[in-house]
Amino acid sequence: DEKLDIFNKYTIARSYHDIGVINIKNKEFSSAIESIDVAIKKYHELSKYDDYYLQKVAEMQTLISRPLCELNQFNKAVEIAFNGVETLRTLYEKNNSLYEIPYATSLLEYPIALSTIDKNKEEIEHLYKTGIRILKKHVKENVYNVVFDYIVATYKLAIWCIRHNKDEEAKNNFIESISTSYALENRTDETTMSQLAVIYLDYGT
């Protein structure tokens, strides 16, 4: 009965998680916050059984920061994204290999919220570079999500460098992003193709 209860709660949490992602894609940000908040609560109930569910709580906290920023709730977005990063940092310190990629992903998500209120350019740049350095170790495994996140992260760092007059560093990150993107040349889904198009056009510009 307990295993069935865990499975049911996980199924509900995962469903609300998916609904939240769809809401974000459709720019229904208030609905996204409501859905992801339910997912967070359900995953939190499950976290007493396994750290995997605590990981999911942290991932939802970084995810919910996106719609919060879109609704100009910047301080709340930063606070909740920071909590997600710190939870994943703790898990990463307990088990490097298991939580390395989720931790790196959170480091790359957090600066999006942080840059809305914080002028500490060095910290934001450090977060990007740390996340990229960790993900780069896994790019050779050619797992789509890791490769795609790495490409997007190096692109975002390139844009960040341009805005702060670091043109040579920006160029190097663009080149890294584009050279890695060849691994995805057979992908024809809309998300991949539109992101690569943006990267190529911005680099050309």
Side-chain angles (χ1 to χ4, degrees), residues 52-103:
Y52 169 75
Y53 301 111
L54 193 57
Q55 173 195 328
K56 302 307 290 185
V57 169
E59 289 175 349
M60 293 303 96
Q61 288 174 322
T62 53
L63 178 63
I64 204 173
S65 67
R66 296 188 206 173
L68 286 170
C69 284
E70 293 289 347
L71 296 177
N72 298 324
Q73 297 181 40
F74 302 123
N75 288 308
K76 187 174 182 181
V78 169
E79 181 183 356
I80 198 167
F82 176 77
N83 290 338
V85 170
E86 288 302 297
T87 297
L88 284 164
R89 189 196 309 277
T90 301
L91 292 172
Y92 173 63
E93 289 170 354
K94 284 173 62 177
N95 189 327
N96 292 86
S97 59
L98 188 59
Y99 295 106
E100 189 166 56
I101 292 174
Y103 174 55

Side-chain angles (χ1 to χ4, degrees), residues 121-151:
K121 295 184 289 187
E122 289 76 16
E123 181 184 2
I124 293 172
E125 191 170 327
H126 174 71
L127 289 164
Y128 273 127
K129 288 182 176 179
T130 304
I132 287 169
R133 176 174 49 78
I134 294 172
L135 282 188
K136 187 171 186 177
K137 296 191 293 182
H138 299 275
V139 166
K140 60 181 179 295
E141 297 162 15
N142 207 28
V143 176
Y144 168 73
N145 287 342
V146 175
V147 176
F148 184 77
D149 286 349
Y150 179 76
I151 291 167

